[in-house]
Amino acid sequence: MVPHLVTALSGPLQDLEKRFLDKTTEIERWFRMAWNDNTPPFYSSVDVRNSGFKLAPVDTNLFPGGFNNLAPEMMPLAIQAALSAIERICPEARSMVLVPERHTRNTFYLTNVARLAAILKQTGLDIRLGSVSEDITEPTRFDLPDGQSLLIEPLQRKGNRVGVDGMEPCAVLLNNDLSAGVPPVLQGLNGQIVVPPVHAGWATRRKSTHFQCYNHVVDSFAEMLEIDPWLINPYFTQRGQLNFHERVGEESLAEAVNEILAKTRIKYAEYGIAEQPYVVVKADAGTYGMGIMTVKDAAEVVGLNRKQRNKMSVVKEGLEVSDVLIQEGVHTFENIDEAVAEPVVYMIDKYVVGGFYRVHTGRGRDENLNAPGMHFVPLAFESPCNTPDCADRPDAAVNRFYAYGVIGRLAALAASQEIEATIPTELIA
């Protein structure tokens, strides 16, 4: 089962999905060769938008926090993928410390931590949870809504390595996106594997860099598949040195919005698309759907009112916004019970391990769904994203999930290249 695709333009999408099916062998060979030259992120999640005429990623998270939303049937696949990731980074690993986010009051997030720890334990690792929060000064137990409990301990530094009391792990897995910066306890580690690397955190990571890498990946993939790369890639540009409070940089931002809208209108005309183009302006660093606005005219970003300026000025952990990504808006025409929905694809290593749908009853098809009021419908992907059925319809569940998986893997490949390209110079031998 997949959400109803509410659009008369499902024909173009089915053409794309059919192309994926017809070229499955070539696609899988292309990915196999690409991963020979690139190291996958330990894990990632990708927000995908399906407009009926375009299927594209709009965000990639390198510290995914929704493993609790995956279908239980996907757990064997997740465990096998995690085993592959562990064998890649440290084949002889016996133990790992998982570093969660600081917020311990969000039981939904902690349920994600519990699911992730359970997956890792099944790979043969001893797993302990080590927090960088100042509030965790001693081992603290947290009860979860499903009856489970988690023991979170202070992360400790010993020399150039970190661990928890009684354990110096082979590797450290971050499930903390470092929006507040790299805490001292994690700085300057030597000889200990940390994944994702700290430079992949939001203190230094930029979405514009990711989509530059995605451009490179998609150009190669689209050439192989003989398709227009725009069908799976949103236009974007970047602007920096903004100050929303002081209205500094508004004209430059308006010019960027006009640029993306103009390019999008040309493509809409080429494909006979009657929808109104729009642009999403979002903080170039940060997550949780903060620092985002949707605009359909460049004039909308000039003379923002106080509420709008406050919304765009600060993101998670109070991080000030001075750089923004201006991205072509991709409509979502998927619908669950008359509410708009978007798929979120989850990966461990180079493997798609499932996904689910983010739904928002109060948002439209041209708005950001990662916002207060969203929920995750218990409509997890019911089949793996790597087993298409070429004898079935292009829009059959198994084949649409395969298409989502292709987009997720392209984004993960871009993330791999992004991480490699942004290694701090002092760490390059």
Side-chain angles (χ1 to χ4, degrees):
M1 178 181 180
V2 293
H4 180 52
L5 190 63
V6 190
T7 174
L9 291 167
S10 58
L13 179 67
Q14 288 196 33
D15 289 344
L16 179 61
E17 292 174 329
K18 186 175 186 303
R19 192 71 173 167
F20 284 171
L21 290 181
D22 291 343
K23 293 282 190 176
T24 297
T25 300
E26 291 88 340
I27 288 172
E28 296 308 318
R29 182 186 302 120
W30 185 90
F31 274 117
R32 178 161 50 84
M33 300 304 292
W35 286 125
N36 283 340
D37 298 324
N38 297 273
T39 302
F42 187 90
Y43 50 16
S44 60
S45 67
V46 183
D47 295 349
V48 180
R49 304 275 286 201
N50 184 348
S51 66
F53 54 85
K54 181 166 186 158
L55 184 66
V58 294
D59 204 9
T60 300
N61 187 358
L62 295 179
F63 304 85
F67 282 95
N68 53 307
N69 294 313
L70 300 182
E73 293 79 8
M74 297 295 105
M75 288 306 98
L77 187 59
I79 293 166
Q80 288 298 316
L83 187 60
S84 174
I86 296 299
E87 290 176 342
R88 183 188 306 278
I89 65 170
C90 188
E92 299 178 356
R94 294 176 176 270
S95 60
M96 175 180 281
V97 166
L98 173 59
V99 180
E101 293 281 1
R102 294 171 182 266
H103 49 71
T104 53
R105 297 180 182 178
N106 186 335
T107 56
F108 292 105
Y109 171 73
L110 293 181
T111 304
N112 151 76
V113 174
R115 174 66 67 86
L116 183 55
I119 291 170
L120 295 170
K121 286 178 182 178
Q122 289 299 311
T123 68
L125 289 174
D126 291 329
I127 302 295
R128 303 265 292 273
L129 306 179
S131 177
V132 296
S133 172
E134 296 83 359
D135 297 332
I136 303 295
T137 58
E138 61 182 5
T140 307
R141 190 168 298 278
F142 294 88
D143 294 325
L144 304 181
D146 60 3
Q148 297 185 80
S149 65
L150 285 179
L151 183 67
I152 302 182
E153 306 172 67
L155 190 67
Q156 301 175 349
R157 179 76 174 248
K158 292 183 179 180
N160 291 325
R161 299 173 68 87
V162 295
V164 293
D165 188 31
M167 176 191 281
E168 186 180 289
C170 306
V172 176
L173 176 62
L174 300 180
N175 199 241
N176 182 317
D177 63 25
L178 306 179
S179 291
V182 182
V185 70
L186 290 174
Q187 295 177 10
L189 299 181
N190 184 23
Q192 190 171 34
I193 297 167
V194 178
V195 289
V198 294
H199 74 269
W202 285 124
T204 51
R205 187 185 181 214
R206 295 295 177 265
K207 296 175 184 179
S208 53
T209 304
H210 173 75
F211 280 100
Q212 287 168 4
C213 293
Y214 186 77
N215 277 348
H216 174 74
V217 167
V218 166
D219 285 348
S220 172
F221 180 81
E223 181 180 6
M224 177 276 297
L225 204 59
E226 299 180 312
I227 62 169
D228 181 352
W230 177 77
L231 295 173
I232 55 175
N233 190 12
Y235 288 131
F236 79 94
T237 188
Q238 187 264 0
R239 287 294 185 274
Q241 298 182 328
L242 303 179
N243 186 318
F244 284 98
H245 281 306
E246 303 296 329
R247 292 198 168 103
V248 174
E250 283 187 346
E251 295 299 329
S252 175
L253 180 56
E255 291 174 2
V257 169
N258 261 333
E259 173 192 335
I260 299 301
L261 284 174
K263 293 173 68 174
T264 305
R265 289 190 190 103
I266 292 172
K267 280 297 181 180
Y268 277 27
E270 178 183 341
Y271 285 95
I273 297 165
E275 297 297 324
Q276 183 179 7
Y278 71 101
V279 162
V280 177
V281 179
K282 61 179 76 173
D284 206 9
T287 185
Y288 282 18
M290 302 175 71
I292 296 179
M293 65 185 299
T294 299
V295 297
K296 297 177 180 177
D297 189 293
E300 296 176 43
V301 301
V302 178
L304 297 176
N305 61 39
R306 178 176 295 180
K307 181 179 179 180
Q308 291 169 320
R309 298 200 309 273
N310 287 340
K311 176 184 174 183
M312 292 300 298
S313 295
V314 180
V315 292
K316 182 185 172 188
E317 301 283 3
L319 192 66
E320 291 283 341
V321 176
S322 60
D323 301 335
V324 296
L325 180 78
I326 302 94
Q327 187 180 61
E328 172 196 346
V330 181
H331 300 79
T332 178
F333 281 99
E334 293 192 280
N335 186 300
I336 297 176
D337 296 330
E338 300 184 1
V340 292
E342 65 184 13
V344 185
V345 177
Y346 268 61
M347 297 190 60
I348 297 178
D349 199 65
K350 60 184 178 182
Y351 304 101
V352 179
V353 297
F356 50 85
Y357 288 90
R358 178 184 289 119
V359 182
H360 204 303
T361 57
R363 293 293 176 103
R365 64 196 186 194
D366 58 358
E367 295 182 282
N368 169 45
L369 303 189
N370 188 5
M374 68 178 173
H375 64 282
F376 303 106
V377 165
L379 180 60
F381 292 2
E382 60 189 12
S383 58
C385 297
N386 56 356
T387 54
D389 184 352
C390 297
D392 207 340
R393 308 182 322 275
D395 62 343
V398 66
N399 293 331
R400 182 149 292 166
F401 293 156
Y402 177 71
Y404 294 160
V406 168
I407 300 300
R409 285 186 284 171
L410 290 172
L413 185 58
S416 168
Q417 296 183 5
E418 171 197 0
I419 291 171
E420 180 70 21
T422 55
I423 295 174
T425 54
E426 63 269 20
L427 298 182
I428 300 176

